Amino acid sequence: MAAFPDPQWFAALGRLMEAEGELFRRLGYAEVRFVIKVIGENDDPVAPLVGLEFDGYRLARAVQLDDTAAFDPDFVICGRRPVWDRMLAEIARGGRPELRHTLSSLALVGDELWLESTDQLREDKFFRFNQTLQEFFNLSARLSR
Amino acid sequence: MPTVQIKDEARIGSEARYKYEPSAYLQKLYHSGTPDLGWMNQHGEWGVHARPGNLGLRLKDIEIGTYGVVPEKGGDHLSMAPRGAALPSDLPSLGFTVNQKAECWADNVMELYEEAVARQWSSARDIPWHELKPLPDDLERAMCQLCTFLTEVEFIAADAPTRWMSRINQDFLEVKLFLATQAMDEARHTEVFRKRALANGGGLGVASPPSEWSLKKIFDSPNFSAQTARLHLLGEGFVLTMFRQGEFLAPTRVDQEIFRRCMQDESRHVGYGTVHLREQLKSRPELAAEIHNELDDAEKILLQLFGVPEQVEPMAILMGGGLDHFDKGMELQGQLWRRIVNEYLQRCDSAGLDRRPRCLLPTDFNKFFEG
């Protein structure tokens, strides 16, 4: 099975998202396009960039990117490999990350995860759809079982 | 069909002060049984087929033909007649005073309205209240004081814009619809923080005069755009970061869920305010001077807010994880202050307002105490 951050790994979460249906409908739709960037110790990406697009209640796209600008994301979520791994391990154990290790909490302090965007208004979509994004990642608990 | 039984039917109207005379039309209908049907020939554009998209029939899907044309100036009739309907000549005016599109419009308003409707939540149903557990006294007191502040300030973002909502020309109904969702969001924020304060062995803390002054200034704004600058751009942007901090510092999952959901709502409000100002400044660049003046005052008041212990200390205690870690909490607060200022200035940039040279907010609070 594909591993994070392979696009196929996200596609598997997308299928779980559609199977969940009601949970995500209750959260409301999300229309947002963003990139996942996994960074190594020397600040270089250690995995190909992945572009994700939510179109309503489903993951419409999960693609490997050569050109971030062409994907025109609302924001890029950047994080070091161990931070992503820790979050996913906590999700695998408990269904959700520990309190201060959610996407929003990590991005708030900004030294473990951080956001990049050309426009604050577009970056704010990270907050507008945050519950959906977190629940999406939380579905990974089912992948690891 | 069985007759509906109405209590004391004989008494109904026995003391009525006016006698109703059926209209000539009703008399004719009653006596002849022939409908008039003249209304069938009075209508707006006809033969319209709005098509739903993958998320249903949204506002943007019905912005078609003449119905999709939002006028630069609202109808002179100043009535509640729907935009695009046939307009009789004797419509009463409701005296709307915001009649220019540029005074209230934002191009993302339909998107934000539909998103708001789709992403509503219930504090009773969606917050896992049963997971609340007793907290150490210092943390509970700090959380309750923070909730007191938030329940005190949140409803201004309903009270103030709805003062203007009733003055906005009905031809800009999409703006009014969005503001109605904002009022609902703020109602929910007001009650959820009140509930949180009363749910875990604490209670409400102390109200804050600096907060009240900032609310009064928002409430008394001289026009809608001035209010938008104070409220949506600075005030809600600041509260948005507080909600994000709340999600971070939450000592329980209950608190985290509350703050995360409020954060989502608040970012829609900020999104409307930023785009509204952007469009305002594009159409009336001279407005920048007035907006700067409003923000001069609003920033000053924001700094006053950070000059009282009931505002500074609860956040530091929660950030640090307890009174014993107050210094660590203050240090984290200082880091986050930079984020507040940075995001605020970036939103000003996005709105097309070069606020940087005039901004009163320091990027580093320590600067106040040096030299």
Side-chain angles (χ1 to χ4, degrees):
Chain A
M1 168 154 184
F4 172 87
D6 190 293
Q8 287 307 312
W9 185 86
F10 286 106
L13 290 190
R15 288 190 291 278
L16 285 172
M17 184 182 187
E18 289 193 48
E20 269 298 329
E22 182 55 26
L23 167 67
F24 287 92
R25 285 190 175 276
R26 197 144 133 180
L27 293 180
Y29 65 73
E31 292 181 307
V32 60
R33 191 164 57 237
F34 61 100
V35 170
I36 299 290
K37 190 173 182 180
V38 182
I39 293 171
E41 286 306 312
N42 55 358
D43 287 348
D44 293 329
V46 293
L49 301 177
V50 181
L52 303 176
E53 181 171 7
F54 287 93
D55 174 18
Y57 307 104
R58 70 190 184 100
L59 177 69
R61 273 203 290 174
V63 291
Q64 185 173 316
L65 297 176
D66 297 321
D67 182 359
T68 305
F71 189 68
D72 189 27
D74 294 309
F75 51 84
V76 179
I77 310 178
C78 309
R80 299 187 194 287
R81 180 85 215 196
V83 175
W84 287 109
D85 288 345
R86 183 187 63 199
M87 184 173 76
L88 295 174
E90 289 173 1
I91 290 172
R93 277 198 303 275
R96 65 176 75 98
E98 290 179 9
L99 285 176
R100 290 203 172 181
H101 296 159
T102 60
L103 289 170
S104 178
S105 286
L106 291 170
L108 177 70
V109 180
D111 54 356
E112 296 197 295
L113 282 191
W114 61 94
L115 303 176
E116 292 176 354
S117 178
T118 53
D119 184 347
Q120 186 64 43
L121 203 60
R122 294 186 70 183
E123 183 176 315
D124 283 349
K125 284 190 178 185
F126 175 76
F127 313 114
R128 271 163 61 183
F129 301 117
N130 195 268
Q131 187 87 14
T132 299
L133 301 182
Q134 189 62 59
E135 293 290 354
F136 177 76
F137 271 89
N138 289 356
L139 288 174
S140 67
R142 303 210 204 149
L143 289 181
S144 55
R145 279 176 196 158
Chain B
M1 191 160 62
T3 304
V4 175
Q5 298 298 311
I6 298 177
K7 184 185 172 191
D8 293 341
E9 188 167 355
R11 288 183 59 229
I12 294 174
S14 59
E15 296 174 23
R17 305 294 170 90
Y18 300 100
K19 182 171 165 36
Y20 171 68
E21 286 293 334
S23 66
Y25 154 69
L26 276 180
Q27 296 207 29
K28 185 179 166 198
L29 179 67
Y30 184 79
H31 291 299
S32 71
T34 306
D36 175 87
L37 302 183
W39 54 270
M40 282 196 169
N41 299 316
Q42 299 177 54
H43 47 68
E45 184 181 347
W46 199 250
V48 180
H49 291 281
R51 306 265 185 243
N54 62 329
L55 296 174
L57 191 66
R58 293 194 280 177
L59 281 181
K60 69 175 185 180
D61 301 317
I62 62 166
E63 297 285 315
I64 51 177
T66 53
Y67 298 102
V69 179
V70 180
E72 293 303 317
K73 182 174 183 300
D76 290 332
H77 52 85
L78 305 182
S79 77
M80 300 288 278
R83 189 179 76 223
L87 301 177
S89 58
D90 53 351
L91 296 167
S93 165
L94 272 69
F96 297 130
T97 57
V98 179
N99 293 307
Q100 301 293 328
K101 181 182 177 185
E103 290 178 278
C104 62
W105 193 258
D107 271 346
N108 59 355
V109 76
M110 286 183 276
E111 168 194 344
L112 292 171
Y113 168 74
E114 292 284 6
E115 189 181 307
V117 171
R119 296 185 77 85
Q120 290 293 301
W121 52 281
S122 154
S123 74
R125 181 194 62 201
D126 296 320
I127 303 299
W129 295 105
H130 59 281
E131 292 186 23
L132 262 182
K133 290 191 172 59
L135 290 174
D137 187 62
D138 53 349
L139 289 179
E140 185 61 28
R141 284 180 189 277
M143 180 54 76
C144 285
Q145 181 57 42
L146 176 59
C147 289
T148 302
F149 167 74
L150 290 170
T151 207
E152 181 174 15
V153 303
E154 277 298 279
F155 209 71
I156 194 66
D159 269 347
T162 51
R163 284 183 88 183
W164 293 98
M165 189 168 92
S166 66
R167 302 181 203 177
I168 294 175
N169 193 296
Q170 187 68 4
D171 279 354
F172 310 125
L173 82 154
E174 291 89 344
V175 174
K176 300 173 102 165
L177 298 180
F178 170 73
L179 292 176
T181 67
Q182 179 173 328
M184 185 61 231
D185 291 344
E186 304 301 354
R188 191 170 47 246
H189 299 177
T190 301
E191 49 101 339
V192 77
F193 289 112
R194 189 173 178 86
K195 284 177 180 172
R196 171 59 188 89
L198 304 185
N200 204 29
L204 291 172
V206 60
S208 160
S211 302
E212 293 295 333
W213 277 111
S214 72
L215 304 182
K216 180 172 167 48
K217 291 279 192 163
I218 291 169
F219 200 67
D220 293 343
S221 294
N223 57 58
F224 185 65
S225 295
Q227 183 188 87
T228 297
R230 278 180 181 271
L231 177 69
H232 289 93
L233 194 64
L234 180 60
E236 299 223 66
F238 166 68
V239 171
L240 170 59
T241 311
M242 283 192 80
F243 286 159
R244 291 175 57 202
Q245 279 180 262
E247 206 260 7
F248 171 82
L249 56 74
T252 70
R253 193 167 86 85
V254 172
D255 299 316
Q256 188 165 60
E257 288 285 328
I258 291 172
F259 281 109
R260 187 187 300 142
R261 287 174 185 269
C262 290
M263 171 178 86
Q264 297 189 125
D265 297 338
E266 209 75 358
S267 51
R268 289 193 298 272
H269 311 163
V270 174
Y272 165 72
T274 307
V275 174
H276 168 57
L277 277 183
R278 180 193 294 173
E279 294 178 17
Q280 268 275 54
L281 290 168
K282 229 182 262 178
S283 67
R284 289 177 55 208
E286 73 279 8
L287 190 71
E290 185 186 345
I291 300 296
H292 276 304
N293 288 339
E294 291 291 332
L295 291 175
D296 285 346
D297 188 55
E299 288 169 4
K300 193 174 73 185
I301 291 174
L302 185 65
L303 288 172
Q304 286 166 358
L305 256 183
F306 276 91
V308 294
E310 65 269 22
Q311 185 62 35
V312 174
E313 294 175 5
M315 290 298 272
I317 291 170
L318 290 164
M319 292 292 280
L323 189 52
D324 291 344
H325 308 291
F326 185 79
D327 288 350
K328 181 184 161 200
M330 285 300 288
E331 190 185 322
L332 271 169
Q333 275 280 78
Q335 288 173 24
L336 291 177
W337 174 260
R338 284 181 65 80
R339 183 170 296 279
I340 290 174
V341 175
N342 183 47
E343 290 182 358
Y344 163 60
L345 290 173
Q346 287 185 167
R347 286 191 191 101
C348 289
D349 292 344
S350 191
L353 188 75
D354 181 15
R355 185 68 193 158
R356 288 167 198 274
R358 194 150 158 181
C359 181
L360 269 69
L361 306 177
T363 52
D364 180 352
F365 240 92
N366 291 325
K367 284 182 184 167
F368 282 129
F369 309 103
E370 292 165 356

